[in-house]
Amino acid sequence: MGPARLHRMPVEIDLEHVAKLARIELTDDEKAQLRVQLGVILEHAAKVGEVATDDVVPTASAIPRSNVLRPDTPEPGISQQAALANAPESEEGRFRVPRVQETGT
């Protein structure tokens, strides 16, 4: 259903508040354009609530399927030496990284 066929419902949108939250400045032309666009988006969102879902069973996925899992079998890993081979720095068999300190600000 295209925007031309939608019945326009007045939607109150506090664009100044939305712009403040998004930390953007809008011109009057941009506000007018966004008011129309957001109105169309909210109308479409409202239509989602009108869909007849009384006979639809809630699911965790839109496509019913069972989880397909491989057997959890141990496999050999790499050696410590191989793991550290490409490390920029290592120390006593561990990766050496810069210290992370909280500044308290």
Side-chain angles (χ1 to χ4, degrees):
M1 179 181 309
R5 294 180 60 197
L6 282 175
H7 173 62
R8 298 270 182 241
M9 300 182 324
V11 178
E12 290 298 319
I13 301 168
D14 186 351
L15 282 176
E16 284 76 19
H17 181 67
V18 173
K20 182 179 177 184
L21 292 174
R23 296 184 176 154
I24 58 175
E25 291 183 20
L26 299 172
T27 65
D28 289 340
D29 290 339
E30 290 171 326
K31 288 177 188 176
Q33 183 181 10
L34 284 174
R35 189 173 309 281
V36 172
Q37 291 172 345
L38 288 173
V40 170
I41 291 169
L42 292 174
E43 287 175 14
H44 282 290
K47 290 211 173 278
V48 171
E50 297 174 8
V51 175
T53 58
D54 295 336
D55 59 341
V56 177
V57 179
T59 62
S61 174
I63 303 170
R65 63 172 187 254
S66 62
N67 287 336
V68 179
L69 304 173
R70 66 174 173 80
D72 189 13
T73 55
E75 296 184 12
I78 63 173
S79 68
Q80 182 181 30
Q81 183 179 5
L84 295 171
N86 292 320
E89 293 186 54
S90 62
E91 182 179 289
E92 298 179 13
R94 297 183 301 244
F95 292 99
R96 181 176 168 85
V97 296
R99 179 180 295 257
V100 177
Q101 294 179 329
E102 293 187 22
T103 61
T105 57

